[in-house]
Tab-separated table of all heavy atoms in Angstrom:
chain	number	residue	atom	x	y	z
A	119	ARG	N	-0.276	33.009	30.192
A	119	ARG	CA	0.340	32.762	28.885
A	119	ARG	C	-0.340	33.627	27.837
A	119	ARG	O	0.131	33.575	26.667
A	119	ARG	CB	0.304	31.267	28.473
A	119	ARG	CG	1.103	30.391	29.314
A	119	ARG	CD	0.982	29.017	28.880
A	119	ARG	NE	1.820	28.114	29.572
A	119	ARG	CZ	2.991	27.672	29.194
A	119	ARG	NH1	3.465	28.010	28.087
A	119	ARG	NH2	3.660	26.863	30.016
A	120	GLY	N	-1.368	34.301	28.115
A	120	GLY	CA	-1.986	35.111	27.062
A	120	GLY	C	-2.740	34.193	26.112
A	120	GLY	O	-3.398	33.215	26.452
A	121	ARG	N	-2.530	34.483	24.830
A	121	ARG	CA	-3.220	33.759	23.854
A	121	ARG	C	-2.553	32.469	23.452
A	121	ARG	O	-3.069	31.648	22.625
A	121	ARG	CB	-3.429	34.541	22.545
A	121	ARG	CG	-2.198	35.029	21.904
A	121	ARG	CD	-2.515	35.976	20.724
A	121	ARG	NE	-1.309	36.382	20.108
A	121	ARG	CZ	-0.915	35.996	18.889
A	121	ARG	NH1	-1.701	35.242	18.168
A	121	ARG	NH2	0.216	36.458	18.391
A	122	PHE	N	-1.340	32.209	23.914
A	122	PHE	CA	-0.571	30.944	23.607
A	122	PHE	C	-0.764	29.941	24.684
A	122	PHE	O	-0.554	30.192	25.846
A	122	PHE	CB	0.901	31.330	23.485
A	122	PHE	CG	1.202	32.306	22.417
A	122	PHE	CD1	1.662	33.564	22.765
A	122	PHE	CD2	1.027	32.087	21.095
A	122	PHE	CE1	1.855	34.492	21.760
A	122	PHE	CE2	1.258	32.940	20.051
A	122	PHE	CZ	1.733	34.200	20.429
A	123	GLY	N	-1.194	28.786	24.279
A	123	GLY	CA	-1.320	27.687	25.223
A	123	GLY	C	-0.008	26.890	25.307
A	123	GLY	O	0.960	27.261	24.637
A	124	PRO	N	0.003	25.910	26.126
A	124	PRO	CA	1.229	25.078	26.229
A	124	PRO	C	1.531	24.272	24.961
A	124	PRO	O	0.576	24.051	24.216
A	124	PRO	CB	0.979	24.209	27.468
A	124	PRO	CG	-0.550	24.158	27.563
A	124	PRO	CD	-0.977	25.463	27.014
A	125	ARG	N	2.711	23.818	24.792
A	125	ARG	CA	3.075	22.909	23.678
A	125	ARG	C	2.323	21.606	23.807
A	125	ARG	O	2.123	21.166	24.938
A	125	ARG	CB	4.548	22.796	23.530
A	125	ARG	CG	5.246	24.104	23.288
A	125	ARG	CD	6.674	23.899	22.966
A	125	ARG	NE	6.953	23.174	21.728
A	125	ARG	CZ	6.787	23.616	20.512
A	125	ARG	NH1	6.376	24.877	20.297
A	125	ARG	NH2	7.074	22.966	19.464
A	126	ILE	N	2.014	20.949	22.757
A	126	ILE	CA	1.349	19.708	22.700
A	126	ILE	C	2.328	18.586	23.079
A	126	ILE	O	3.520	18.783	23.096
A	126	ILE	CB	0.697	19.380	21.389
A	126	ILE	CG1	1.775	19.347	20.348
A	126	ILE	CG2	-0.319	20.346	21.074
A	126	ILE	CD1	1.310	18.556	19.180
A	127	THR	N	1.750	17.477	23.516
A	127	THR	CA	2.606	16.309	23.835
A	127	THR	C	2.738	15.439	22.560
A	127	THR	O	2.034	15.617	21.630
A	127	THR	CB	1.932	15.541	24.937
A	127	THR	OG1	0.660	15.060	24.546
A	127	THR	CG2	1.821	16.273	26.182
A	128	VAL	N	3.789	14.645	22.671
A	128	VAL	CA	4.095	13.674	21.575
A	128	VAL	C	2.884	12.751	21.369
A	128	VAL	O	2.271	12.348	22.414
A	128	VAL	CB	5.369	12.870	21.820
A	128	VAL	CG1	5.592	11.793	20.912
A	128	VAL	CG2	6.534	13.834	21.840
A	129	GLY	N	2.523	12.457	20.170
A	129	GLY	CA	1.406	11.494	20.020
A	129	GLY	C	0.769	11.628	18.616
A	129	GLY	O	1.260	12.327	17.717
A	130	ASP	N	-0.431	11.020	18.484
A	130	ASP	CA	-1.138	11.020	17.265
A	130	ASP	C	-2.325	11.915	17.427
A	130	ASP	O	-3.081	11.925	18.425
A	130	ASP	CB	-1.625	9.577	16.906
A	130	ASP	CG	-0.468	8.661	16.585
A	130	ASP	OD1	0.461	9.147	15.855
A	130	ASP	OD2	-0.483	7.543	17.090
A	131	TYR	N	-2.655	12.730	16.350
A	131	TYR	CA	-3.732	13.740	16.327
A	131	TYR	C	-4.434	13.595	15.029
A	131	TYR	O	-4.007	12.845	14.114
A	131	TYR	CB	-3.194	15.089	16.553
A	131	TYR	CG	-2.545	15.325	17.889
A	131	TYR	CD1	-1.175	14.951	18.076
A	131	TYR	CD2	-3.276	15.824	18.951
A	131	TYR	CE1	-0.613	15.120	19.307
A	131	TYR	CE2	-2.679	15.963	20.211
A	131	TYR	CZ	-1.356	15.619	20.374
A	131	TYR	OH	-0.803	15.786	21.601
Side-chain angles (χ1 to χ4, degrees):
R119 294 183 178 258
R121 64 186 180 109
F122 300 110
R125 295 189 68 74
I126 61 158
T127 58
V128 170
D130 295 316
Y131 296 86

